[in-house]
Amino acid sequence: MFALGPRLFEVSARRYLEGIHRTHGAPAFAAAGALPGLSAELDQHAAAVRDILDLGVETAGRVSPTVLLAGYMRGLLEDRTTPITEPVDWACAEWLHLRLAGACLQAALPEL
């Protein structure tokens, strides 16, 4: 049996983030161009995610930021019994949709 290396976790995390970006990040970023309020909300959610991962995860320095972010997003979706889809109207999107889109914004930052 072989041990899974950090590279495999990184690749898996990137694929997961790309999927969430397709369903939430890209549509939200496009809508934010026309909705300044949405842009501000996404910035706030991205900052909250950054703080949670930086300050709330004890082993954050030993794990890739990409893996941490994917794990956080999976945790948000873990207990859902229904599949999540992108909201029809980003102007009145639910908290979870905004948090996922904000996390996508955090993933797009140069530090990751």
Side-chain angles (χ1 to χ4, degrees), residues 47 56 79 87:
D79 291 331

Side-chain angles (χ1 to χ4, degrees), residues 26-100:
F29 301 160
L35 302 167
L38 175 60
S39 182
E41 283 187 272
L42 294 176
D43 286 343
Q44 289 175 348
H45 278 278
V49 170
R50 183 196 62 233
D51 290 346
I52 287 167
L53 296 181
D54 286 349
L55 305 172
V57 179
E58 192 173 307
T59 60
R62 294 181 277 177
V63 179
S64 156
T66 303
V67 172
L68 281 175
L69 189 56
Y72 174 75
M73 293 168 97
R74 284 180 199 235
L76 291 174
L77 297 171
E78 193 169 77
D79 291 331
R80 293 189 57 85
T81 56
T82 58
I84 188 164
T85 58
E86 64 180 273
V88 173
D89 185 2
W90 279 99
C92 44
E94 296 177 19
W95 181 91
L96 181 59
H97 294 287
L98 294 169
R99 183 55 63 120
L100 290 171

